[in-house]
Amino acid sequence: MERSSKSARGRLKKAYITMKTPENWRKIILFVCVVALGIDPLYLFVPVVDSPKFCFTFDKKLAIGVSVLRTFIDVIYVVHIIWNFMRYANGENNLYSKPIWDICFIFHTIVDILSVLPIPQVLVLTLMRRSDSLVSRTILKWIILAQYIPRILRIYPLYKKVTRAFGTVSETKWVGAALNLFLYMLHSHVFGAFWYVSSVEKLNKCWRLACPDLPGCNLKFQYCGREGGNNIPYGLNISCPLIEPDQITNSSVFNFGMYIDALKSGIVEVNPDDFPRKFFYCFWWGLRNISALGQNLRTSNSVGEIVFALIICVSGLLLFAVLIGNIQKYLESNTTKIDEKLEQKRVTEHWMSSKRLPRDLKRMIRKHEDDEWKKNTRIDDEAILHNLPEDIRLRTELHINVSSLYPC
């Protein structure tokens, strides 16, 4: 028992010492930043629709959970900001002349501070208790989008420093494949989340346009927290029918465009225990449309909706290009290595033949060369002999010396 506890403590101590190095610390923070990009869009699932009451409300449990998770990740990044300040104060990490380094440091620090400001936590937890403005004025969507920019920008300097230290972020081809897959997953998640909140906003827009023409309809009851919502379901149902865009024949009918699927599927409805279904449905919608380059999207004539569809299309093309580029780079790398191996084998075979080595020595040298072919060394007598194991090297040197003394 004591041995196992000591070994566990030893492994933890070793991991801690490894993590303390600047290179490994940056790698951990880079991973934290990438994870943070997947957490922020979860806020967009907070608004929900209470269809029987024809009003909007918010998933408070989800909002609190996402806020706690986001705060925890931001605290880790705040530690990184402090660590950067300490290294800057000590004159470390200065890769450029002092004026340029000062400008870069100030810019990166501003981006870092903007990225960890708790604006979503404060606004969501404050406004969702008494107002529908998060949906009616699209505040929630623009808050997340605005802070998403510095949270993406802060990744670039980290990525450059990690690749400068390690050569690459992915140490194996499987990690590289996983990163490419994660790019698709992240974009699918982000687009699915924005599609969800835009669907809720689209329904809110229709109700707001229809409400003034319906007797007894009051816009202040759009938020379910105010006296239980509107009690005129039939009027709003008639004014905002869920009709497929290509089936609309009357221009007076409200066109929900690409958001009709979310509204008809019921994923925007109030159901606190149904978040997984909501999340995975939106994720599937994003993945499907990125993979199809947005070809199946049927938009209305709304400019915002068309721009959203264009972004999905362009993002799909870029992701596909990145994937093809990485595959090509991997194939070229493998081809280069194979060519180098073949050339090394050819030179080694020529060298062994010129020295008239016996078959057993040739077989041992070939076996060793096959094991060590990845090493990029200059093929000559000294290099080949130096790389051989001691017993094979001594026998080879002896044979060469004897052959030079007594040529056949």
Side-chain angles (χ1 to χ4, degrees), residues 16 34 57 65-66 133-134 144 172 175 192 208 220 240 251-252 309:
Y16 174 71
V34 173
T57 186
V66 176
S133 56
L134 286 175
I144 300 300
T172 65
V175 176
R208 284 183 169 272
K220 75 176 183 178
C240 298
S251 60
S252 62

Side-chain angles (χ1 to χ4, degrees), residues 82-228:
I82 296 170
W83 179 77
N84 269 339
F85 266 110
M86 293 172 64
R87 288 177 64 82
Y88 176 75
N90 294 332
E92 300 177 39
N93 239 6
N94 196 340
L95 303 176
Y96 311 101
S97 60
K98 194 174 189 309
I100 297 175
W101 175 245
D102 288 343
I103 294 171
C104 291
F105 179 78
I106 292 170
F107 174 75
H108 291 154
T109 302
I110 292 172
V111 171
D112 288 344
I113 292 173
L114 289 175
S115 70
V116 296
L117 290 177
I119 299 173
Q121 295 98 306
V122 173
L123 286 178
V124 170
L125 296 177
T126 302
L127 292 180
M128 75 175 185
R129 298 180 182 277
R130 60 175 184 269
S131 170
D132 68 334
S133 56
L134 286 175
V135 174
S136 61
R137 298 180 184 176
T138 67
I139 292 177
L140 179 61
K141 184 166 64 177
W142 291 111
I143 287 172
I144 300 300
L145 189 60
Q147 206 169 27
Y148 217 65
I149 296 171
R151 289 171 88 83
I152 293 174
L153 290 177
R154 70 183 182 181
I155 291 178
Y156 180 73
L158 279 170
Y159 175 79
K160 294 294 288 183
K161 289 175 181 176
V162 168
T163 52
R164 189 183 297 121
F166 294 96
T168 179
V169 175
S170 55
E171 297 176 359
T172 65
K173 62 181 180 180
W174 301 113
V175 176
L179 288 174
N180 284 314
L181 181 62
F182 180 77
L183 273 177
Y184 261 93
M185 301 296 105
L186 180 61
H187 280 77
S188 303
H189 167 48
V190 172
F191 286 135
F194 274 94
W195 175 67
Y196 173 87
V197 75
S198 298
S199 302
V200 177
E201 291 171 357
K202 197 78 168 179
L203 185 60
N204 173 73
K205 181 180 179 181
C206 183
W207 285 357
R208 284 183 169 272
L209 290 173
C211 198
D213 299 328
L214 297 173
C217 183
N218 195 331
L219 286 176
K220 75 176 183 178
F221 295 137
Q222 288 261 285
Y223 177 53
C224 296
R226 296 174 181 163
E227 302 182 24

Side-chain angles (χ1 to χ4, degrees), residues 256-267:
F256 288 99
M258 60 194 287
Y259 308 114
I260 188 69
D261 190 20
L263 300 173
K264 293 182 77 172
S265 65
I267 60 169

Side-chain angles (χ1 to χ4, degrees), residues 7-8 15 40 57 95 154 243 280 287-288 300 326 355 382:
S7 63
D40 282 13
T57 186
L95 303 176
R154 70 183 182 181
I243 303 175
F280 283 108
L287 181 61
R288 181 184 63 192
S300 65
N326 287 335
K355 301 303 179 182
E382 293 298 325

Side-chain angles (χ1 to χ4, degrees), residues 247-260:
Q247 295 177 2
I248 296 177
T249 57
N250 189 346
S251 60
S252 62
V253 176
F254 191 85
N255 190 346
F256 288 99
M258 60 194 287
Y259 308 114
I260 188 69

